[in-house]
Amino acid sequence: MDNIEMLEKYKQRIKRQNEKIKQDYDRASVTLPKGTKYRIQALGYTVNGFLNSAVLAELERLEAEAPQTAQPEAVKEEQPEQAQPKADPPEDVAELNNWLHQIQEENEQKRLQEVARRQANVEAENGYD
């Protein structure tokens, strides 16, 4: 396989990946005060991961407070199907909410452990033992 073929296959793969991203995700641009990215990263988050968590948590809170209204059909059709979770989610709404909170808590614990591990590495490198 020559370089031209490899380059063409690479371009096709990137194009497929970008099409899949467009199909499965909404894109938003955010302007933050100077230094915000550093503050987020210092806490062990990626900027995108932090913004996703914050937006989804706030949406969940607002939707819980808002009166239940039906979504317009157009909005329902635009939403991409989510990846299937490892275990089947409960069918009862309250159980589902608890199940989702449990997953979020597990993920937060993993994140905190990773932050602690990184902090310990930085302290060890700087001789703070």
Short mmCIF file of all heavy atoms in Angstrom, two decimals, residues 6-61:
data_model
loop_
_atom_site.label_atom_id
_atom_site.label_comp_id
_atom_site.label_asym_id
_atom_site.label_seq_id
_atom_site.Cartn_x
_atom_site.Cartn_y
_atom_site.Cartn_z
N MET A 6 -2.79 5.15 1.64
CA MET A 6 -2.91 5.28 3.09
C MET A 6 -3.53 6.62 3.46
O MET A 6 -4.39 6.68 4.34
CB MET A 6 -1.53 5.14 3.76
CG MET A 6 -1.01 3.72 3.76
SD MET A 6 0.66 3.55 4.42
CE MET A 6 0.56 4.40 5.95
N LEU A 7 -3.11 7.67 2.80
CA LEU A 7 -3.66 9.00 3.06
C LEU A 7 -5.14 9.06 2.73
O LEU A 7 -5.94 9.61 3.49
CB LEU A 7 -2.89 10.06 2.26
CG LEU A 7 -3.30 11.50 2.49
CD1 LEU A 7 -3.13 11.89 3.95
CD2 LEU A 7 -2.50 12.43 1.59
N GLU A 8 -5.54 8.45 1.63
CA GLU A 8 -6.94 8.43 1.23
C GLU A 8 -7.79 7.66 2.24
O GLU A 8 -8.87 8.09 2.63
CB GLU A 8 -7.10 7.84 -0.17
CG GLU A 8 -8.49 7.97 -0.73
CD GLU A 8 -8.97 9.42 -0.84
OE1 GLU A 8 -8.17 10.32 -1.13
OE2 GLU A 8 -10.18 9.62 -0.61
N LYS A 9 -7.30 6.51 2.71
CA LYS A 9 -8.02 5.72 3.71
C LYS A 9 -8.14 6.50 5.01
O LYS A 9 -9.17 6.48 5.67
CB LYS A 9 -7.34 4.38 3.95
CG LYS A 9 -7.58 3.40 2.85
CD LYS A 9 -7.08 2.03 3.21
CE LYS A 9 -7.42 1.07 2.09
NZ LYS A 9 -7.32 -0.31 2.50
N TYR A 10 -7.09 7.21 5.39
CA TYR A 10 -7.11 8.03 6.59
C TYR A 10 -8.17 9.13 6.46
O TYR A 10 -8.97 9.35 7.37
CB TYR A 10 -5.73 8.64 6.82
CG TYR A 10 -5.69 9.62 7.96
CD1 TYR A 10 -5.71 9.19 9.28
CD2 TYR A 10 -5.62 10.99 7.71
CE1 TYR A 10 -5.68 10.09 10.32
CE2 TYR A 10 -5.59 11.90 8.75
CZ TYR A 10 -5.62 11.45 10.05
OH TYR A 10 -5.60 12.35 11.08
N LYS A 11 -8.20 9.81 5.33
CA LYS A 11 -9.19 10.86 5.10
C LYS A 11 -10.61 10.30 5.16
O LYS A 11 -11.50 10.93 5.73
CB LYS A 11 -8.96 11.52 3.74
CG LYS A 11 -7.76 12.43 3.69
CD LYS A 11 -7.61 13.03 2.29
CE LYS A 11 -6.42 13.94 2.19
NZ LYS A 11 -6.27 14.51 0.83
N GLN A 12 -10.83 9.12 4.58
CA GLN A 12 -12.16 8.50 4.61
C GLN A 12 -12.56 8.15 6.05
O GLN A 12 -13.71 8.33 6.44
CB GLN A 12 -12.18 7.25 3.74
CG GLN A 12 -12.12 7.55 2.25
CD GLN A 12 -11.95 6.30 1.42
OE1 GLN A 12 -11.83 5.19 1.93
NE2 GLN A 12 -11.93 6.48 0.10
N ARG A 13 -11.60 7.65 6.83
CA ARG A 13 -11.90 7.29 8.22
C ARG A 13 -12.26 8.53 9.03
O ARG A 13 -13.24 8.54 9.78
CB ARG A 13 -10.70 6.59 8.86
CG ARG A 13 -10.95 6.19 10.31
CD ARG A 13 -9.87 5.28 10.84
NE ARG A 13 -8.54 5.77 10.63
CZ ARG A 13 -7.83 6.46 11.54
NH1 ARG A 13 -8.34 6.72 12.72
NH2 ARG A 13 -6.61 6.88 11.27
N ILE A 14 -11.52 9.60 8.85
CA ILE A 14 -11.81 10.85 9.57
C ILE A 14 -13.18 11.37 9.16
O ILE A 14 -13.96 11.82 10.01
CB ILE A 14 -10.71 11.91 9.29
CG1 ILE A 14 -9.38 11.45 9.84
CG2 ILE A 14 -11.10 13.27 9.85
CD1 ILE A 14 -9.35 11.20 11.33
N LYS A 15 -13.50 11.29 7.88
CA LYS A 15 -14.80 11.75 7.39
C LYS A 15 -15.93 10.94 8.03
O LYS A 15 -16.93 11.50 8.48
CB LYS A 15 -14.88 11.64 5.87
CG LYS A 15 -16.14 12.21 5.29
CD LYS A 15 -16.12 12.15 3.77
CE LYS A 15 -17.41 12.73 3.22
NZ LYS A 15 -17.43 12.72 1.76
N ARG A 16 -15.77 9.61 8.12
CA ARG A 16 -16.79 8.76 8.76
C ARG A 16 -16.94 9.11 10.24
O ARG A 16 -18.05 9.19 10.77
CB ARG A 16 -16.44 7.27 8.61
CG ARG A 16 -16.68 6.72 7.22
CD ARG A 16 -16.56 5.20 7.19
NE ARG A 16 -15.36 4.68 7.81
CZ ARG A 16 -14.20 4.46 7.18
NH1 ARG A 16 -14.09 4.72 5.90
NH2 ARG A 16 -13.16 3.98 7.84
N GLN A 17 -15.81 9.34 10.91
CA GLN A 17 -15.86 9.70 12.33
C GLN A 17 -16.60 11.02 12.52
O GLN A 17 -17.43 11.15 13.42
CB GLN A 17 -14.44 9.81 12.89
CG GLN A 17 -13.75 8.49 13.09
CD GLN A 17 -12.30 8.66 13.50
OE1 GLN A 17 -11.69 9.70 13.31
NE2 GLN A 17 -11.74 7.59 14.07
N ASN A 18 -16.29 12.00 11.69
CA ASN A 18 -16.95 13.30 11.80
C ASN A 18 -18.44 13.21 11.52
O ASN A 18 -19.24 13.86 12.19
CB ASN A 18 -16.29 14.32 10.88
CG ASN A 18 -14.92 14.73 11.36
OD1 ASN A 18 -14.60 14.60 12.54
ND2 ASN A 18 -14.11 15.23 10.46
N GLU A 19 -18.84 12.39 10.56
CA GLU A 19 -20.26 12.20 10.27
C GLU A 19 -20.97 11.55 11.45
O GLU A 19 -22.08 11.93 11.81
CB GLU A 19 -20.43 11.35 9.00
CG GLU A 19 -20.08 12.10 7.73
CD GLU A 19 -20.03 11.22 6.50
OE1 GLU A 19 -20.27 9.99 6.61
OE2 GLU A 19 -19.72 11.76 5.42
N LYS A 20 -20.33 10.57 12.08
CA LYS A 20 -20.91 9.90 13.25
C LYS A 20 -21.07 10.89 14.40
O LYS A 20 -22.08 10.90 15.10
CB LYS A 20 -20.01 8.73 13.66
CG LYS A 20 -20.52 7.94 14.83
CD LYS A 20 -21.66 7.07 14.46
CE LYS A 20 -21.99 6.15 15.62
NZ LYS A 20 -23.39 5.85 15.70
N ILE A 21 -20.07 11.74 14.60
CA ILE A 21 -20.15 12.75 15.67
C ILE A 21 -21.30 13.71 15.40
O ILE A 21 -22.07 14.03 16.30
CB ILE A 21 -18.80 13.50 15.79
CG1 ILE A 21 -17.75 12.57 16.41
CG2 ILE A 21 -18.95 14.78 16.61
CD1 ILE A 21 -16.34 13.10 16.37
N LYS A 22 -21.44 14.17 14.15
CA LYS A 22 -22.54 15.07 13.80
C LYS A 22 -23.89 14.41 14.06
O LYS A 22 -24.85 15.07 14.48
CB LYS A 22 -22.46 15.48 12.33
CG LYS A 22 -21.42 16.51 12.03
CD LYS A 22 -21.43 16.85 10.54
CE LYS A 22 -20.27 17.72 10.16
NZ LYS A 22 -20.24 17.99 8.71
N GLN A 23 -23.97 13.12 13.80
CA GLN A 23 -25.23 12.38 13.98
C GLN A 23 -25.57 12.17 15.45
O GLN A 23 -26.73 12.24 15.83
CB GLN A 23 -25.08 11.02 13.28
CG GLN A 23 -26.31 10.17 13.29
CD GLN A 23 -26.06 8.84 12.58
OE1 GLN A 23 -24.96 8.30 12.62
NE2 GLN A 23 -27.08 8.34 11.93
N ASP A 24 -24.56 11.96 16.29
CA ASP A 24 -24.80 11.56 17.68
C ASP A 24 -24.69 12.67 18.71
O ASP A 24 -25.08 12.48 19.85
CB ASP A 24 -23.81 10.44 18.07
CG ASP A 24 -24.09 9.16 17.34
OD1 ASP A 24 -25.15 9.03 16.72
OD2 ASP A 24 -23.22 8.26 17.38
N TYR A 25 -24.12 13.82 18.33
CA TYR A 25 -23.86 14.85 19.32
C TYR A 25 -24.31 16.22 18.81
O TYR A 25 -24.29 16.50 17.62
CB TYR A 25 -22.36 14.93 19.66
CG TYR A 25 -21.85 13.68 20.30
CD1 TYR A 25 -21.23 12.68 19.54
CD2 TYR A 25 -21.99 13.47 21.66
CE1 TYR A 25 -20.77 11.52 20.12
CE2 TYR A 25 -21.52 12.30 22.25
CZ TYR A 25 -20.92 11.33 21.48
OH TYR A 25 -20.47 10.19 22.06
N ASP A 26 -24.67 17.09 19.76
CA ASP A 26 -24.88 18.50 19.48
C ASP A 26 -23.57 19.21 19.79
O ASP A 26 -22.87 18.85 20.74
CB ASP A 26 -25.98 19.09 20.38
CG ASP A 26 -27.36 18.57 20.02
OD1 ASP A 26 -27.59 18.28 18.83
OD2 ASP A 26 -28.21 18.46 20.92
N ARG A 27 -23.25 20.20 19.02
CA ARG A 27 -22.01 20.96 19.24
C ARG A 27 -22.38 22.35 19.73
O ARG A 27 -23.31 22.97 19.24
CB ARG A 27 -21.22 21.05 17.94
CG ARG A 27 -19.89 21.75 18.11
CD ARG A 27 -18.99 21.55 16.91
NE ARG A 27 -18.42 20.22 16.80
CZ ARG A 27 -17.40 19.77 17.53
NH1 ARG A 27 -16.88 20.54 18.45
NH2 ARG A 27 -16.92 18.56 17.33
N ALA A 28 -21.65 22.83 20.73
CA ALA A 28 -21.86 24.16 21.27
C ALA A 28 -20.50 24.80 21.50
O ALA A 28 -19.54 24.13 21.87
CB ALA A 28 -22.64 24.10 22.58
N SER A 29 -20.42 26.08 21.29
CA SER A 29 -19.20 26.83 21.54
C SER A 29 -19.43 27.68 22.79
O SER A 29 -20.48 28.28 22.96
CB SER A 29 -18.90 27.74 20.34
OG SER A 29 -17.78 28.53 20.62
N VAL A 30 -18.44 27.70 23.67
CA VAL A 30 -18.57 28.41 24.94
C VAL A 30 -17.40 29.37 25.10
O VAL A 30 -16.26 29.01 24.84
CB VAL A 30 -18.57 27.41 26.12
CG1 VAL A 30 -18.67 28.13 27.44
CG2 VAL A 30 -19.69 26.42 25.98
N THR A 31 -17.70 30.58 25.54
CA THR A 31 -16.67 31.56 25.87
C THR A 31 -16.65 31.71 27.38
O THR A 31 -17.67 32.04 27.98
CB THR A 31 -16.97 32.91 25.18
OG1 THR A 31 -17.08 32.69 23.78
CG2 THR A 31 -15.88 33.91 25.47
N LEU A 32 -15.50 31.44 27.97
CA LEU A 32 -15.36 31.45 29.42
C LEU A 32 -14.39 32.55 29.84
O LEU A 32 -13.49 32.90 29.07
CB LEU A 32 -14.83 30.10 29.91
CG LEU A 32 -15.66 28.87 29.54
CD1 LEU A 32 -14.86 27.61 29.81
CD2 LEU A 32 -16.95 28.88 30.32
N PRO A 33 -14.52 33.06 31.06
CA PRO A 33 -13.55 34.05 31.54
C PRO A 33 -12.14 33.46 31.55
O PRO A 33 -11.95 32.26 31.77
CB PRO A 33 -14.02 34.35 32.97
CG PRO A 33 -15.45 33.95 33.00
CD PRO A 33 -15.59 32.82 32.03
N LYS A 34 -11.16 34.29 31.29
CA LYS A 34 -9.77 33.86 31.25
C LYS A 34 -9.40 33.14 32.54
O LYS A 34 -9.75 33.56 33.62
CB LYS A 34 -8.87 35.10 31.07
CG LYS A 34 -7.49 34.79 30.64
CD LYS A 34 -7.51 34.38 29.20
CE LYS A 34 -6.11 34.41 28.61
NZ LYS A 34 -6.08 33.80 27.33
N GLY A 35 -8.74 32.01 32.40
CA GLY A 35 -8.30 31.22 33.55
C GLY A 35 -9.26 30.10 33.93
O GLY A 35 -8.91 29.23 34.71
N THR A 36 -10.46 30.09 33.35
CA THR A 36 -11.45 29.07 33.71
C THR A 36 -10.99 27.69 33.27
O THR A 36 -11.14 26.71 34.01
CB THR A 36 -12.82 29.40 33.09
OG1 THR A 36 -13.22 30.70 33.52
CG2 THR A 36 -13.88 28.40 33.50
N LYS A 37 -10.42 27.59 32.07
CA LYS A 37 -9.93 26.29 31.60
C LYS A 37 -8.90 25.72 32.57
O LYS A 37 -8.95 24.54 32.93
CB LYS A 37 -9.31 26.42 30.20
CG LYS A 37 -10.31 26.49 29.09
CD LYS A 37 -9.70 26.74 27.73
CE LYS A 37 -8.48 25.94 27.43
NZ LYS A 37 -7.97 26.13 26.07
N TYR A 38 -7.98 26.56 33.00
CA TYR A 38 -6.95 26.10 33.93
C TYR A 38 -7.57 25.63 35.24
O TYR A 38 -7.18 24.60 35.80
CB TYR A 38 -5.93 27.22 34.20
CG TYR A 38 -4.96 26.85 35.27
CD1 TYR A 38 -3.92 25.97 35.03
CD2 TYR A 38 -5.10 27.35 36.57
CE1 TYR A 38 -3.04 25.60 36.03
CE2 TYR A 38 -4.23 26.99 37.57
CZ TYR A 38 -3.19 26.12 37.31
OH TYR A 38 -2.33 25.75 38.29
N ARG A 39 -8.54 26.37 35.76
CA ARG A 39 -9.19 26.00 37.01
C ARG A 39 -9.88 24.64 36.89
O ARG A 39 -9.83 23.82 37.81
CB ARG A 39 -10.20 27.07 37.42
CG ARG A 39 -9.55 28.38 37.85
CD ARG A 39 -10.54 29.48 38.06
NE ARG A 39 -11.50 29.14 39.09
CZ ARG A 39 -12.66 29.77 39.27
NH1 ARG A 39 -12.98 30.78 38.49
NH2 ARG A 39 -13.48 29.40 40.22
N ILE A 40 -10.54 24.41 35.76
CA ILE A 40 -11.22 23.13 35.53
C ILE A 40 -10.20 22.01 35.47
O ILE A 40 -10.35 20.97 36.12
CB ILE A 40 -12.06 23.20 34.23
CG1 ILE A 40 -13.24 24.16 34.41
CG2 ILE A 40 -12.55 21.80 33.83
CD1 ILE A 40 -13.97 24.49 33.11
N GLN A 41 -9.13 22.22 34.71
CA GLN A 41 -8.10 21.19 34.56
C GLN A 41 -7.38 20.92 35.87
O GLN A 41 -7.00 19.78 36.16
CB GLN A 41 -7.12 21.59 33.46
CG GLN A 41 -7.76 21.58 32.09
CD GLN A 41 -6.93 22.28 31.02
OE1 GLN A 41 -6.05 23.07 31.33
NE2 GLN A 41 -7.24 21.98 29.77
N ALA A 42 -7.20 21.94 36.69
CA ALA A 42 -6.54 21.78 37.98
C ALA A 42 -7.34 20.87 38.92
O ALA A 42 -6.78 20.26 39.82
CB ALA A 42 -6.31 23.14 38.64
N LEU A 43 -8.64 20.78 38.68
CA LEU A 43 -9.48 19.90 39.49
C LEU A 43 -9.52 18.48 38.95
O LEU A 43 -10.19 17.62 39.50
CB LEU A 43 -10.91 20.46 39.55
CG LEU A 43 -11.05 21.78 40.32
CD1 LEU A 43 -12.44 22.36 40.11
CD2 LEU A 43 -10.77 21.56 41.79
N GLY A 44 -8.80 18.23 37.85
CA GLY A 44 -8.72 16.89 37.30
C GLY A 44 -9.74 16.59 36.23
O GLY A 44 -9.88 15.44 35.81
N TYR A 45 -10.47 17.59 35.79
CA TYR A 45 -11.46 17.39 34.73
C TYR A 45 -10.87 17.79 33.39
O TYR A 45 -9.94 18.60 33.33
CB TYR A 45 -12.67 18.32 34.95
CG TYR A 45 -13.59 17.94 36.07
CD1 TYR A 45 -13.52 18.59 37.30
CD2 TYR A 45 -14.58 16.98 35.90
CE1 TYR A 45 -14.39 18.29 38.32
CE2 TYR A 45 -15.45 16.68 36.92
CZ TYR A 45 -15.36 17.32 38.13
OH TYR A 45 -16.21 17.02 39.13
N THR A 46 -11.46 17.27 32.33
CA THR A 46 -11.24 17.86 31.03
C THR A 46 -12.30 18.95 30.91
O THR A 46 -13.35 18.88 31.55
CB THR A 46 -11.43 16.85 29.88
OG1 THR A 46 -12.78 16.39 29.88
CG2 THR A 46 -10.46 15.68 30.02
N VAL A 47 -12.03 19.96 30.09
CA VAL A 47 -12.99 21.05 29.95
C VAL A 47 -14.30 20.51 29.39
O VAL A 47 -15.38 20.81 29.91
CB VAL A 47 -12.42 22.18 29.07
CG1 VAL A 47 -13.46 23.25 28.82
CG2 VAL A 47 -11.18 22.78 29.72
N ASN A 48 -14.23 19.69 28.34
CA ASN A 48 -15.44 19.14 27.75
C ASN A 48 -16.20 18.27 28.73
O ASN A 48 -17.42 18.37 28.86
CB ASN A 48 -15.09 18.35 26.48
CG ASN A 48 -16.31 18.02 25.67
OD1 ASN A 48 -17.01 18.91 25.21
ND2 ASN A 48 -16.55 16.74 25.48
N GLY A 49 -15.50 17.42 29.47
CA GLY A 49 -16.15 16.56 30.45
C GLY A 49 -16.82 17.36 31.56
O GLY A 49 -17.93 17.05 31.98
N PHE A 50 -16.13 18.40 32.03
CA PHE A 50 -16.70 19.25 33.07
C PHE A 50 -17.96 19.95 32.59
O PHE A 50 -18.98 19.96 33.27
CB PHE A 50 -15.67 20.29 33.52
CG PHE A 50 -16.18 21.21 34.59
CD1 PHE A 50 -16.14 20.83 35.91
CD2 PHE A 50 -16.70 22.46 34.26
CE1 PHE A 50 -16.62 21.68 36.90
CE2 PHE A 50 -17.18 23.31 35.24
CZ PHE A 50 -17.14 22.92 36.56
N LEU A 51 -17.88 20.54 31.39
CA LEU A 51 -19.05 21.25 30.85
C LEU A 51 -20.21 20.30 30.63
O LEU A 51 -21.36 20.63 30.93
CB LEU A 51 -18.68 21.98 29.56
CG LEU A 51 -17.72 23.16 29.75
CD1 LEU A 51 -17.28 23.71 28.40
CD2 LEU A 51 -18.33 24.24 30.61
N ASN A 52 -19.93 19.10 30.11
CA ASN A 52 -21.00 18.11 29.92
C ASN A 52 -21.65 17.77 31.25
O ASN A 52 -22.88 17.77 31.37
CB ASN A 52 -20.45 16.83 29.27
CG ASN A 52 -20.42 16.91 27.78
OD1 ASN A 52 -21.37 17.38 27.15
ND2 ASN A 52 -19.33 16.46 27.20
N SER A 53 -20.84 17.49 32.28
CA SER A 53 -21.38 17.14 33.60
C SER A 53 -22.21 18.27 34.17
O SER A 53 -23.32 18.05 34.69
CB SER A 53 -20.25 16.80 34.57
OG SER A 53 -19.57 15.66 34.15
N ALA A 54 -21.68 19.49 34.08
CA ALA A 54 -22.38 20.64 34.66
C ALA A 54 -23.70 20.90 33.93
O ALA A 54 -24.73 21.14 34.57
CB ALA A 54 -21.49 21.88 34.59
N VAL A 55 -23.67 20.87 32.62
CA VAL A 55 -24.88 21.14 31.84
C VAL A 55 -25.93 20.07 32.10
O VAL A 55 -27.11 20.37 32.35
CB VAL A 55 -24.56 21.25 30.33
CG1 VAL A 55 -25.82 21.21 29.49
CG2 VAL A 55 -23.77 22.52 30.06
N LEU A 56 -25.53 18.79 32.08
CA LEU A 56 -26.49 17.71 32.29
C LEU A 56 -27.07 17.74 33.70
O LEU A 56 -28.26 17.51 33.90
CB LEU A 56 -25.85 16.36 31.97
CG LEU A 56 -25.50 16.16 30.50
CD1 LEU A 56 -24.73 14.85 30.30
CD2 LEU A 56 -26.74 16.20 29.62
N ALA A 57 -26.23 18.03 34.70
CA ALA A 57 -26.72 18.11 36.08
C ALA A 57 -27.72 19.25 36.23
O ALA A 57 -28.77 19.10 36.88
CB ALA A 57 -25.55 18.28 37.05
N GLU A 58 -27.41 20.41 35.66
CA GLU A 58 -28.31 21.55 35.75
C GLU A 58 -29.61 21.29 35.00
O GLU A 58 -30.70 21.63 35.48
CB GLU A 58 -27.62 22.82 35.23
CG GLU A 58 -28.45 24.07 35.35
CD GLU A 58 -28.75 24.51 36.78
OE1 GLU A 58 -28.21 23.90 37.74
OE2 GLU A 58 -29.52 25.46 36.96
N LEU A 59 -29.52 20.66 33.84
CA LEU A 59 -30.74 20.31 33.10
C LEU A 59 -31.61 19.36 33.90
O LEU A 59 -32.83 19.53 33.97
CB LEU A 59 -30.39 19.65 31.76
CG LEU A 59 -30.14 20.56 30.59
CD1 LEU A 59 -29.66 19.76 29.39
CD2 LEU A 59 -31.39 21.33 30.22
N GLU A 60 -30.98 18.37 34.52
CA GLU A 60 -31.73 17.42 35.34
C GLU A 60 -32.44 18.14 36.48
O GLU A 60 -33.61 17.90 36.75
CB GLU A 60 -30.79 16.35 35.89
CG GLU A 60 -31.50 15.26 36.65
CD GLU A 60 -30.53 14.19 37.10
OE1 GLU A 60 -29.87 13.58 36.25
OE2 GLU A 60 -30.45 13.98 38.32
N ARG A 61 -31.73 19.05 37.14
CA ARG A 61 -32.31 19.81 38.24
C ARG A 61 -33.48 20.67 37.76
O ARG A 61 -34.56 20.67 38.36
CB ARG A 61 -31.26 20.70 38.90
CG ARG A 61 -31.75 21.43 40.14
CD ARG A 61 -30.72 22.42 40.66
NE ARG A 61 -30.56 23.57 39.79
CZ ARG A 61 -31.44 24.59 39.71
NH1 ARG A 61 -32.53 24.58 40.44
NH2 ARG A 61 -31.21 25.60 38.89
#
